[in-house]
Amino acid sequence: MMKFIYKPLIITLVLISQSLNAKPSFEVYLANLKLEAVGQGYTNEFIEEVFTNVSYREKTVVADKNQPETKLTLDRYLATRVPDWKVKKAVDLMEKHQVILNRVEQQFGVQKRFIVALWGNESNFGKITGTHSVINSLVTLAYEGRREALFKKQLFAALTILKQGHVKKEDFLGSWAGAMGQSQFMPTSFLDYAIDFDNDGRKDIWNNTADVFASIANFLKSEGWSEDITWGRQVSVPDNFDFNVAGLQSSKKRLLAHWQKLGVRRYDGQDLPQVGLKASLINPDGKNGRLYLVYDNFHTLMKWNRSSYFGISVSYLSDRIKKGS
C-alpha cells in the first residue's frame, strides 16, 4: 500500500524537476544575458541599446546544424576556391594596394602575397563579409545551447568591441556564425589581433583595407609566422612509400634531408632543397591524392583555420600570386 500512497508525490517531484531543468524561453534567456553583462561592468543603458531588437533567428540555427557534409576532393576544392579569375584579381589588387602592403610586410614580417591570399579566401577581397547582426547571431547560437560557452564568450567580446567604439551597432555585421569583416575574425580574435594601422582610433576590419591587412599580418606574426621561409611544396613519393610517417603532429616533423632519403622529391622529380628546414608530409586525400611537404608557416595557417584544405588553398593562391598568373 505504501508505494501507492507515495506515487503521486514521486510524480509531482519528477514534474517539478523537469520544470526546473526545462530550457528557458528566449526572452528569459536574453534577460539573464543582460543581467550577466551588467554584472561584468556594462551600464544598463549600453546593454539595453545593444540588445534592442535582438530576436531568436531560426535560420541561424539551421545554418549551424546543416553545414555541408559532402566531402569535396582537394582537386575540386582548389578549383572552386582558387579559380583563374580570383588569381587575376589578387594580382591586380596587390598592385593597387602595394604601398600599404609593403608597409605592412615590412612592419610585421609577413609576405604580402599571403596577406592577399587570406583576404581573398576569407571574404573575396572584402566583397562578401556577411549581412547578419553579430550580436543577434551570437545570442541565438548561445541560446541554441550546443556550444553555449563558446558563443557567450564571443558575445561578451563583441560587447567589448562595441564599447571601445571600433564599429557602430548598425554596421556590426558578419556571417551567421559571428565572423566579422574582411578578415572574418571572430570577436575574440578581433580583440587579440586587430590593428589600427592608420591610427584613426578605430580598428576597422569592415571598411579600412590598411587595418584589414595589418590585422591579418598581426595574427600570422603573433602565431609564429616566419618571413624567411615559405609554406611548403607539392611533392611525389615512391610507389612503396610508407604513409605512416605522414601527418601534422609535431612528432612527425623531419628535416628535408630525411625526407630526401625516404624518396620524397619535388613534384617535378627534382631533389628537395638542401636547407636545414623541418617539414611535415601531408596527404589530405590519402595516398592517391596530392602530397605536400609543409613548413612551420603552414602550421601557423592551421591556427587560422584547422582545415588542411583551407591552408593549401591559401598557399596555392599565394604561389600563383607570386607567379603573377
Side-chain angles (χ1 to χ4, degrees):
M1 292 294 294
M2 290 294 291
K3 63 181 180 180
F4 292 107
I5 292 173
Y6 286 105
K7 189 174 181 180
L9 177 59
I10 293 171
I11 293 173
T12 300
L13 290 173
V14 170
L15 290 174
I16 290 173
S17 176
Q18 289 176 343
S19 177
L20 290 174
N21 292 324
K23 187 174 183 177
S25 69
F26 182 77
E27 290 71 23
V28 169
Y29 187 84
L30 185 59
N32 288 332
L33 275 180
K34 291 179 180 180
L35 289 174
E36 191 172 344
V38 171
Q40 292 192 15
Y42 297 101
T43 65
N44 282 306
E45 293 77 13
F46 173 76
I47 293 303
E48 287 301 326
E49 178 186 355
V50 170
F51 284 89
T52 298
N53 297 323
V54 167
S55 61
Y56 180 74
R57 303 292 173 88
E58 182 65 30
K59 288 183 178 180
T60 298
V61 175
V62 171
D64 187 44
K65 289 183 176 180
N66 294 285
Q67 297 182 57
E69 295 182 359
T70 302
K71 180 170 174 58
L72 297 173
T73 64
L74 181 56
D75 284 347
R76 178 60 181 160
Y77 184 84
L78 290 176
T80 302
R81 297 300 294 262
V82 194
D84 290 344
W85 68 262
K86 181 175 281 188
V87 177
K88 183 180 186 307
K89 190 170 184 179
V91 172
D92 291 344
L93 287 172
M94 191 164 76
E95 182 178 355
K96 176 181 177 181
H97 296 288
Q98 63 176 317
V99 174
I100 293 175
L101 283 166
N102 286 341
R103 287 179 56 208
V104 171
E105 182 179 67
Q106 182 177 12
Q107 179 170 329
F108 292 94
V110 176
Q111 302 94 315
K112 57 190 175 185
R113 62 188 175 103
F114 288 98
I115 297 171
V116 173
L118 273 166
W119 183 38
N121 263 319
E122 284 293 4
S123 66
N124 189 17
F125 312 103
K127 295 297 183 182
I128 304 174
T129 58
T131 58
H132 300 265
S133 161
V134 170
I135 297 297
N136 216 128
S137 292
L138 295 175
V139 171
T140 294
L141 290 168
Y143 174 71
E144 190 272 335
R146 287 181 303 138
R147 291 173 288 168
E148 181 184 16
L150 167 65
F151 287 110
K152 279 183 68 175
K153 181 179 181 180
Q154 296 300 331
L155 174 64
F156 290 120
L159 294 179
T160 300
I161 293 168
L162 282 172
K163 188 66 176 178
Q164 291 177 350
H166 299 296
V167 61
K168 296 179 181 178
K169 178 189 171 184
E170 59 268 26
D171 298 326
F172 199 25
L173 305 175
S175 73
W176 59 262
M180 314 175 308
Q182 298 187 34
S183 56
Q184 289 291 279
F185 278 173
M186 292 298 287
T188 52
S189 292
F190 180 100
L191 294 179
D192 288 340
Y193 305 110
I195 294 290
D196 174 18
F197 195 68
D198 62 356
N199 297 314
D200 67 351
R202 296 170 57 228
K203 300 173 183 178
D204 184 3
I205 62 171
W206 291 267
N207 302 297
N208 187 324
T209 50
D211 289 0
V212 172
F213 299 154
S215 298
I216 291 172
N218 188 44
F219 179 103
L220 294 176
K221 188 64 176 181
S222 299
E223 294 295 338
W225 191 269
S226 172
E227 63 184 315
D228 297 324
I229 62 175
T230 184
W231 66 276
R233 67 183 68 250
Q234 189 173 0
V235 295
S236 62
V237 297
D239 291 338
N240 60 347
F241 191 79
D242 179 7
F243 283 95
N244 288 321
V245 297
L248 286 169
Q249 302 94 320
S250 295
S251 61
K252 293 187 175 182
K253 289 183 180 180
R254 297 289 185 272
L255 289 168
L256 290 180
H258 179 87
W259 293 117
Q260 175 78 19
K261 288 180 180 179
L262 292 181
V264 181
R265 298 291 184 269
R266 300 179 198 237
Y267 189 66
D268 62 5
Q270 295 185 43
D271 289 345
L272 298 176
Q274 295 182 14
V275 291
L277 282 177
K278 283 190 174 182
S280 306
L281 181 72
I282 61 172
N283 53 333
D285 284 349
K287 62 182 181 181
N288 295 320
R290 295 184 184 222
L291 308 174
Y292 297 89
L293 278 180
V294 295
Y295 308 139
D296 283 346
N297 280 348
F298 187 86
H299 287 266
T300 298
L301 286 175
M302 295 293 289
K303 295 177 183 178
W304 182 291
N305 186 312
R306 288 177 291 181
S307 164
S308 58
Y309 275 26
F310 178 87
I312 291 170
S313 69
V314 170
S315 303
Y316 179 51
L317 178 54
S318 74
D319 280 352
R320 293 194 61 184
I321 292 171
K322 184 178 180 181
K323 295 177 182 177
S325 62

